[in-house]
Amino acid sequence: MRIDIITVLPELLQSPFEHSIMQRAQEKGLLEVVVHNLRDFGLGKHKQVDDYQFGGGAGMVMMCEPLANCLDGLLAQRTYDEVIFLTPDGERYQQRMANQLSLKKNLLLICGHYKGIDERIREHYVTREISIGDYVLSGGELAAAIVVDSLGRLLPGVLGDEQSALLDSFQDDLLAPPVYTRPAKFRDWDVPDILLSGHTGKIDDWRYEQALARTKARRPDLLDGDE
Ligand code: 6GU
């Protein structure tokens, strides 16, 4: 999978992909992330990318021309399965959407800033709008990093079998059960006996019960089947 990202803050999108699983996915050639600096397409000697909004009101809007020029250049080089605008008024990002998008070959992400981007870019280029949750970020970059991370780890071959993405919280609409590691006793805090018993069947049952209880207590909405 190749993911292109258009941003005015490319520095924010360096480190998130340079470590751990994201780094391994790229080293294995399973994921390619290419960050494009919108400022390179800015207008005039100040490389302007935003302007006041028509009709008045506080906050700048990202202009059509730099975005269109950047997008046209990328679209001339390859076909994108989706052109995604990251915005708090987009469709809420969930594991289901991550699973769907992880099957695509080429994605193009646009990070918004200020008051957002000129609506005409949304109408004419964007095929999908994504919000990562009901709160406002100062820009789309951290949301883009989250989307890329969640997709990268779903690509076949990125995770080992024993940490398969299929076992995650949310893949079966349940939160994950509690986990423990050595030592079996820390201060006077014990690990549940069942996990030390060696009875794999009973351990699986216990984990399922714990996952269910945790989901009921914390996220009953997941069990209602409405998400
Ligand atoms: Cl994708 N962008 C911004 N700026 N804020 C958000 C968001 C995205 N998702 C939730 N809040």
Side-chain angles (χ1 to χ4, degrees):
M1 168 181 274
R2 172 173 166 136
I3 304 178
D4 290 85
I5 309 177
I6 300 175
T7 173
V8 288
L9 288 173
E11 302 83 1
L12 266 184
L13 289 166
Q14 297 306 321
S15 170
F17 311 129
E18 285 174 358
H19 307 281
S20 183
I21 289 167
M22 290 300 99
Q23 182 183 37
R24 195 174 348 132
Q26 291 172 92
E27 283 169 2
K28 285 183 170 177
L30 301 169
L31 174 67
E32 187 182 4
V33 181
V34 185
V35 176
H36 306 274
N37 190 350
L38 185 65
R39 190 69 61 181
D40 296 341
F41 298 84
L43 306 183
K45 72 169 189 285
H46 294 110
K47 295 285 173 192
Q48 185 183 356
V49 294
D50 61 340
D51 207 338
Y52 297 101
Q53 54 178 317
F54 280 127
M60 306 294 274
V61 174
M62 288 167 68
M63 304 160 77
C64 284
E65 190 173 341
L67 277 168
N69 288 339
C70 181
L71 285 160
D72 287 343
L74 293 172
L75 290 164
Q77 290 168 54
R78 59 183 46 77
T79 307
Y80 289 92
D81 298 292
E82 300 273 10
V83 176
I84 297 170
F85 176 44
L86 294 151
T87 176
D89 58 2
E91 184 185 351
R92 192 152 44 133
Y93 192 61
Q94 310 256 244
Q95 189 64 45
R96 186 183 304 109
M97 202 194 295
N99 293 346
Q100 285 169 7
L101 290 177
S102 74
L103 303 173
K104 309 291 189 186
K105 264 181 64 72
N106 294 302
L107 298 178
L108 178 45
L109 307 185
I110 304 171
C111 302
H113 252 267
Y114 321 112
K115 273 279 164 197
I117 67 176
D118 192 298
E119 187 68 18
R120 290 167 289 186
I121 295 294
R122 297 169 76 157
E123 286 170 13
H124 296 285
Y125 288 96
V126 170
T127 61
R128 193 156 201 167
E129 303 190 322
I130 293 179
S131 160
I132 61 161
D134 292 340
Y135 39 80
V136 180
L137 303 170
S138 53
E141 285 75 15
L142 297 180
I146 281 167
V147 169
V148 171
D149 185 291
S150 66
L151 295 180
R153 60 189 298 290
L154 290 172
L155 301 177
V158 169
L159 296 187
D161 276 348
E162 83 272 16
Q163 39 173 355
S164 157
L166 292 174
L167 300 176
D168 292 338
S169 273
F170 289 110
Q171 281 296 2
D172 48 9
D173 286 335
L174 288 183
L175 303 183
V179 294
Y180 300 85
T181 188
R182 289 183 291 184
K185 190 176 195 68
F186 174 69
R187 300 181 184 161
D188 59 347
W189 307 335
D190 293 319
V191 170
D193 288 336
I194 182 77
L195 295 177
L196 310 175
S197 71
H199 291 126
T200 50
K202 285 186 184 166
I203 291 171
D204 286 346
D205 291 345
W206 180 86
R207 286 182 170 150
Y208 179 73
E209 285 160 22
Q210 292 287 318
L212 198 57
R214 192 163 267 201
T215 308
K216 273 183 187 152
R218 298 179 184 181
R219 293 293 308 276
D221 56 299
L222 293 177
L223 298 171
D224 297 341
D226 48 295
E227 274 306 332

